[in-house]
């Protein structure tokens, strides 16, 4: 798929356009990036500020998502994409911090003519994403740095539980493009916060997002999604192990806490899905 989506990319060092050359992407200034045997390309320009998800975290996420526990989010995301996008916008479907490609695969199925690019800082996620869908090209990149994409190259940008770099998202989005953002609400996973000593969702998270995007985007739609998941102990371990809580928890202590919970265990899934358009 990299052959098809390379025209949307640019060199992370000099911003010159990239082209496929043998088993690498190269620019006219001599910078070259080998395509990994798993089918993704690494376009990180250098050191990164934050740690990437580990193989174990990515494996946990892949198994948890494939079981359908977050399918309501994927369905709601597709519905919002269909309602909020402008068919006259040109460019790819871009997923920022897309992980294994679970959400983007659903969106791509809803837009059968689209070409997709998934960016994630984890090479383990990129390996899975490269095989997640026939029309997705996977790229290792840092969402907090300048994105390795041409200006106005994305018709639709998806951002689900991932970092949000407002100026860069605005730069890569087509003037008639749409940005879709999924963020957790304060009651998301509320039954686990005290039981497993997990991080809480900031009560001002939605306001901070609004303030962050105000100079670059206007809100066109917002939808709340709240439902209940019924999870066994194995799924609870995966849920904690696939996200940021995995960096801050002792594995044995966590397993002991989970083992003490009833099985199955009901957990709240609660998110906000918001659609944005770029400001002129």
């Amino acid at each position: 798929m990299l052959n098809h989506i390379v025209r949307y990319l640019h060199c992370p060092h000099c911003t010159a356009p990239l082209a496929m050359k043998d088993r690498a992407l190269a620019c006219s200034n001599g910078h070259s990036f080998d395509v990994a045997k798993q089918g993704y390309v690494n376009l990180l320009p250098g050191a990164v500020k934050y740690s990437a998800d580990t193989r174990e975290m990515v494996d946990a996420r892949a198994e948890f998502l494939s079981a359908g526990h977050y399918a309501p989010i994927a369905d709601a995301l597709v519905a919002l994409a269909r309602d909020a996008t402008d068919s006259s916008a040109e460019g790819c479907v871009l997923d920022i911090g897309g992980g294994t490609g679970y959400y983007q695969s659903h969106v791509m199925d809803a837009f059968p003519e689209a070409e997709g690019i998934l960016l994630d800082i984890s090479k383990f996620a990129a390996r899975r994403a490269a095989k997640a869908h026939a029309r997705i090209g996977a790229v290792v990149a840092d969402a907090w740095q300048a994105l390795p994409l041409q200006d106005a190259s994305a018709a639709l940008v998806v951002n689900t539980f991932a970092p949000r770099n407002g100026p860069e998202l605005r730069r890569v989005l087509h003037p008639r493009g749409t940005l879709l953002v999924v963020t957790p609400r304060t009651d998301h996973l509320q039954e686990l916060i005290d039981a497993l000593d997990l991080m809480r969702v900031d009560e001002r998270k939605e306001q901070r997002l609004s303030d962050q995007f105000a100079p670059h985007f206007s809100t066109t739609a917002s939808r709340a999604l709240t439902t209940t998941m019924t999870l066994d102990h194995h799924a609870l371990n995966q849920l904690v192990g696939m996200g940021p809580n995995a960096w801050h928890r002792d594995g044995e202590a966590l397993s002991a806490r989970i083992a003490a919970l009833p099985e199955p265990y009901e957990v709240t899934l609660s998110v906000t899905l918001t659609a944005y358009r770029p400001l002129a």
Side-chain angles (χ1 to χ4, degrees):
M1 190 58 201
L2 291 175
N3 281 316
H4 298 278
I5 58 92
V6 67
R7 69 182 187 276
Y8 302 114
L9 302 173
H10 72 203
C11 177
H13 297 299
C14 65
T15 73
L18 291 172
M20 183 68 77
K21 184 177 181 181
D22 298 325
R23 287 286 298 173
L25 303 188
C27 75
S28 58
N29 293 318
H31 302 119
S32 182
F33 310 89
D34 292 338
V35 176
K37 63 181 180 181
Q38 295 90 350
Y40 70 90
V41 65
N42 188 331
L43 295 183
L44 286 173
V48 296
K49 183 177 180 180
Y50 297 101
S51 298
D53 287 352
T54 64
R55 184 195 304 273
E56 292 75 18
M57 293 171 69
V58 172
D59 288 348
R61 181 178 300 117
E63 188 174 350
F64 183 87
L65 294 176
S66 67
H69 301 303
Y70 274 10
I73 300 177
D75 293 342
L77 187 64
V78 168
L80 184 57
R82 284 175 167 152
D83 292 344
T85 54
D86 185 337
S87 60
S88 69
E90 299 177 355
C92 65
V93 174
L94 174 66
D95 194 339
I96 304 289
T100 63
Y102 174 78
Y103 298 107
Q104 191 177 17
S105 292
H106 284 75
V107 174
M108 298 302 291
D109 286 341
F111 296 89
E113 302 301 318
E115 296 171 324
I117 298 176
L118 183 145
L119 304 184
D120 200 281
I121 199 172
S122 169
K123 66 179 181 181
F124 302 108
R127 288 175 182 176
R128 286 186 176 270
K131 299 177 175 61
H133 195 282
R135 287 182 283 113
I136 293 177
V139 177
V140 175
D142 184 356
W144 291 118
Q145 298 188 45
L147 302 176
L149 282 102
Q150 303 277 0
D151 293 354
S153 58
L156 174 63
V157 176
V158 177
N159 182 274
T160 306
F161 303 124
R164 296 168 297 275
N165 184 337
E168 276 299 282
L169 293 176
R170 174 64 185 86
R171 181 185 66 80
V172 303
L173 191 62
H174 188 275
R176 294 185 299 279
T178 301
L179 167 65
L180 303 181
V181 178
V182 180
T183 53
R185 298 170 67 84
T186 54
D187 56 341
H188 184 56
L189 310 182
Q190 62 182 355
E191 297 82 2
L192 299 178
I193 292 173
D194 290 330
L196 303 182
D197 190 27
L198 303 185
M199 293 183 292
R200 297 180 182 274
V201 176
D202 184 354
E203 293 183 357
R204 297 188 65 255
K205 188 177 187 69
E206 292 190 17
Q207 184 59 50
R208 288 192 295 106
L209 176 61
S210 177
D211 294 343
Q212 178 188 13
F213 277 1
H216 312 289
F217 300 96
S218 62
T219 302
T220 59
S222 182
R223 300 174 182 177
L225 168 66
T226 300
T227 187
T228 300
M229 303 179 288
T230 301
L231 306 177
D232 60 19
H233 287 175
H234 181 65
L236 290 174
N237 267 294
Q238 293 171 325
L239 177 58
V240 178
M242 73 183 196
N245 284 288
W247 295 108
H248 309 287
R249 298 292 171 266
D250 175 83
E252 291 186 5
L254 174 65
S255 295
R257 285 190 176 220
I258 290 176
L261 296 176
E263 188 177 31
Y265 195 67
E266 292 194 345
V267 180
T268 299
L269 184 163
S270 186
V271 299
T272 299
L273 302 96
T274 309
Y276 299 90
R277 286 285 173 84
L279 294 175

